[in-house]
Amino acid sequence: IEGVPREEVCCCRGDDPRDQNASERFDHVVIPVDSAMAKRWLSLNKKNRPISNTVVNRYVSDMAHGRWQFAGDPIRFDSMGNLLDGQHRLTALSRVPGVTVPFLVLRGLDHESQTVMDQGHKRTPGQQLALTGLKNSNAVAAAVKVYLMWQGGILFRDVKLKGQITTAVIEEFATERPDLISKFNAMYSSILKNDARPSIAGAAALKFLDLDDAAAVEFFHLLATGAGHQGDPIVALDQRLRRMRRERRVEPDRDVLSFFILAWNAWRDGKSMTKFQRPHGGAWNATTFPVPR
């Protein structure tokens, strides 16, 4: 296999006494791989599962922005030099010229071992954040993902692009904005007490907290308690969300998010509101979508 010289290989000597030839059959080495080498290795990909472009695009985003972390997951080849595992990582790297990524390369496996690869359960973004000790990690991860899709304009584009919001991107945001995440967690119980999906309400909360944290706390407290009078924008929002739940209506995420923003803006401006108007044409886009203030 090009780029994996035999003389630089660190052999894995088996602990199982029944496999006395393990050191002769298997070897591994960590080497830097660039896009050109990735393309050449992909030519050894004779039989594998179909490529998921969503997964590849997620890896491309992390590699291109320096978020890819070496975790020891191997690129695996059989004893004949055929690629068994790693096609998504290599495909992604092949699309990022100028980037070099270290990979652990394992050679000499039986070809049949491919049938039992990738059977583990991948960590969710929430589980990954939980490892850092973050409270309400699942809710934070879900809210941050919708928030970043909103801020990046992905809510109005091909839904497949949501794969760009990777676990690494979510973790990076949570790490870089501990103040915002702390405020989110402080009002977490209020965020849950309405009939919107927690990820949508959470995304709105993140944005409102960033604009005016005291106002955001009051807004979600009033929404949670149902306080107010007819014509109050928060009451109108509460009624709309309740009606959606009662009628089991499924609205697009961007529409539900727009209800929060329209109510927030009207409440902040001291205006009355009894219903929510969609833009001319009936669907929000990146140009017409309301901007919270």
Side-chain angles (χ1 to χ4, degrees):
I1 302 167
E2 182 181 359
V4 192
R6 176 72 64 174
E7 61 272 16
E8 293 184 10
V9 164
C10 172
C11 292
C12 303
R13 302 190 179 276
D15 294 326
D16 189 338
R18 294 171 297 180
D19 192 4
Q20 296 296 331
N21 295 320
S23 62
E24 298 176 7
R25 293 195 297 112
F26 305 120
D27 52 54
H28 66 264
V29 64
V30 176
I31 64 169
V33 181
D34 60 15
S35 61
M37 187 179 294
K39 289 177 182 177
R40 290 192 290 270
W41 285 6
L42 285 168
S43 69
L44 305 173
N45 190 22
K46 306 300 182 183
K47 181 181 177 182
N48 223 312
R49 58 180 168 169
I51 284 283
S52 167
N53 285 320
T54 299
V55 173
V56 171
N57 290 336
R58 186 166 70 241
Y59 292 169
V60 166
S61 177
D62 282 345
M63 290 176 181
H65 293 89
R67 291 187 292 260
W68 185 267
Q69 296 290 325
F70 177 79
D73 301 313
I75 303 293
R76 292 182 270 203
F77 294 89
D78 67 14
S79 57
M80 300 300 292
N82 298 308
L83 180 67
L84 299 181
D85 184 38
Q87 63 168 346
H88 284 85
R89 286 166 285 165
L90 291 173
T91 299
L93 184 55
S94 73
R95 298 178 185 177
V96 191
V99 171
T100 299
V101 173
F103 283 131
L104 172 63
V105 179
L106 178 61
R107 304 187 301 178
L109 293 169
D110 290 332
H111 186 74
E112 290 74 17
S113 65
Q114 188 180 42
T115 62
V116 296
M117 293 177 185
D118 297 322
Q119 301 299 307
H121 183 63
K122 187 178 172 127
R123 287 195 194 109
T124 65
Q127 290 168 338
Q128 192 67 26
L129 287 180
L131 294 177
T132 69
L134 185 67
K135 294 193 305 180
N136 307 314
S137 58
N138 287 328
V140 169
V144 168
K145 183 166 187 175
V146 173
Y147 175 83
L148 293 176
M149 289 175 62
W150 169 22
Q151 298 302 292
I154 297 175
L155 282 179
F156 315 101
R157 298 162 63 193
D158 188 340
V159 70
K160 294 179 182 178
L161 293 175
K162 68 181 183 180
Q164 294 178 5
I165 311 301
T166 65
T167 297
V169 172
I170 293 170
E171 190 173 7
E172 182 179 70
F173 180 89
T175 300
E176 292 180 350
R177 296 299 310 274
D179 57 329
L180 184 59
I181 301 303
S182 178
K183 292 174 183 177
F184 176 96
N185 277 328
M187 59 180 280
Y188 177 60
S189 60
S190 294
I191 295 171
L192 293 181
K193 292 178 181 177
N194 63 76
D195 288 299
R197 284 200 299 113
S199 60
I200 302 300
L206 286 170
K207 185 62 178 179
F208 299 167
L209 283 166
D210 216 17
L211 291 170
D212 186 330
D213 54 0
V217 170
E218 183 181 1
F219 180 91
F220 275 93
H221 172 72
L222 293 173
L223 181 59
T225 58
H229 53 80
Q230 192 65 23
D232 187 315
I234 298 178
V235 172
L237 174 61
D238 183 44
Q239 291 174 344
R240 180 59 178 262
L241 296 176
R242 288 176 184 271
R243 187 166 67 251
M244 285 169 48
R245 177 182 58 81
R246 185 172 60 251
E247 298 174 358
R248 298 183 180 180
R249 293 172 55 186
V250 179
E251 301 272 8
D253 287 353
R254 60 177 176 268
D255 283 15
V256 181
L257 188 55
S258 75
F259 301 155
F260 276 88
I261 300 169
L262 291 171
W264 165 266
N265 286 346
W267 177 70
R268 295 264 281 173
D269 294 341
K271 294 180 179 179
S272 178
M273 171 181 282
T274 57
K275 62 180 180 179
F276 296 87
Q277 295 282 358
R278 287 185 173 86
H280 181 70
W284 295 106
N285 57 45
T287 302
T288 61
F289 198 71
V291 178
R293 52 182 182 271

